[in-house]
Amino acid sequence: MALALRWAASRYSFVEDEVAGLRPLVRPGAVCLDIGAEYGLYTWTLSALAGPSGAVHSVEPLHGPAQWLRITAAALGCGNVTVHRTALGERARRRGTMSLPRRRLLPVHGRAYLTEGTSGPGPNMEFTRSRPVTTPVHTVDGLCHRMGLDRVDFIKADVEGAEAAVLFGAWVTLLRFRPVLLLEVEGRHLAKYGMEPAGLVRRLTALDYGMYRWGRRSWEPVAGVTDDCRNYLFTARPIRTPLKG
């Protein structure tokens, strides 16, 4: 599965290019968080790279995708994958609300977002219908404490604009473990939470994180977010030579 996803990353739009660049970032034994896992495009690659001695915590608040992750993990024999059906945010609460849009009566799981802290649907105005989905909300710090994690090496977060809230709830984890971060950073989604890409980047720069984007074969340093790229790598240690997939 992981090999197939790496092969497909440069060929099919539904598999993000950055999947092909995970190999130099995730070593055997790594502990990874896949936040906003949906159907596991990152989870399965991280599972293969981390290996039996590593662990992948796949975080997905929606019932359908979370159930798919559990069934598929069992079917593939991914014993290092743990699925958490919850949202992650700045602070924990028993009940949060996801807005799940629909297109032609089908749910669009990849565009669901946590409504707390938003000023409106933002770009999800393009959908004529949506429904609320109740979910617990935890923080990265709380999840790491509850699972007794003594290391976190890699965090991927794609949460439709709530990335800043996830990071605020991961402050202890970021300072203690200094994980590599792969974040979706899109202004149109961040705006509904009152955040902009430059503000998010500044917060990570203040924590001594450098910023990169995936080129054709390696991670390349960049100064800021551009319209032609939505996923960015942040690492606490400067990459002195290109990391190739």
Side-chain angles (χ1 to χ4, degrees), residues 5 10 15 23-24 41 54 94 142 146 164-165 182-183 189 212 222 224 239 243:
L5 289 172
S10 62
V15 179
R23 181 176 292 277
L41 291 179
R94 289 185 179 181
R146 188 171 71 255
L182 181 60
L183 307 177
H189 294 301
Y212 304 82
V222 292
I239 299 176
L243 287 174

Side-chain angles (χ1 to χ4, degrees), residues 39-79:
Y39 290 104
L41 291 179
Y42 281 90
T43 290
W44 314 127
T45 301
L46 294 172
S47 174
L49 294 174
S53 61
V56 179
H57 294 273
S58 191
V59 182
E60 173 53 52
L62 299 175
H63 173 75
Q67 187 69 4
W68 166 268
L69 289 168
R70 291 191 180 99
I71 293 171
T72 305
L76 294 176
C78 297

Side-chain angles (χ1 to χ4, degrees), residues 46-171:
L46 294 172
S47 174
L49 294 174
S53 61
V56 179
H57 294 273
S58 191
V59 182
E60 173 53 52
L62 299 175
H63 173 75
Q67 187 69 4
W68 166 268
L69 289 168
R70 291 191 180 99
I71 293 171
T72 305
L76 294 176
C78 297
N80 61 354
V81 172
T82 301
V83 179
H84 304 268
R85 195 198 158 206
T86 183
L88 295 181
E90 183 175 355
R91 58 182 63 86
R93 52 189 179 275
R94 289 185 179 181
R95 292 169 61 92
T97 302
M98 300 288 296
S99 176
L100 176 59
R102 304 181 74 84
R103 178 183 287 126
R104 298 188 182 91
L105 303 180
L106 295 176
V108 186
H109 296 108
R111 291 286 295 273
Y113 66 93
L114 195 62
T115 61
E116 282 77 10
T118 64
S119 57
N124 275 22
M125 289 183 66
E126 69 178 272
F127 301 102
T128 58
R129 299 180 61 189
S130 64
R131 68 179 181 91
V133 178
T134 300
T135 178
V137 182
H138 295 93
T139 65
V140 170
D141 290 339
L143 176 66
C144 292
H145 177 74
R146 188 171 71 255
M147 299 303 298
L149 302 184
D150 58 7
R151 62 185 287 184
V152 177
D153 302 283
F154 181 89
I155 297 176
K156 167 260 176 182
D158 179 352
V159 288
E160 300 304 289
E163 287 79 14
V166 169
L167 294 177
F168 282 131
W171 215 247

Side-chain angles (χ1 to χ4, degrees), residues 219-237:
W219 294 100
E220 303 167 350
V222 292
V225 173
T226 55
D227 291 338
D228 66 331
C229 179
R230 65 180 182 179
N231 296 317
Y232 294 87
L233 183 77
F234 297 86
T235 175
R237 293 183 176 87

Side-chain angles (χ1 to χ4, degrees), residues 3-16:
L3 289 173
L5 289 172
R6 290 190 68 215
W7 176 84
S10 62
R11 294 170 173 84
Y12 299 103
S13 60
F14 68 90
V15 179
E16 294 182 341

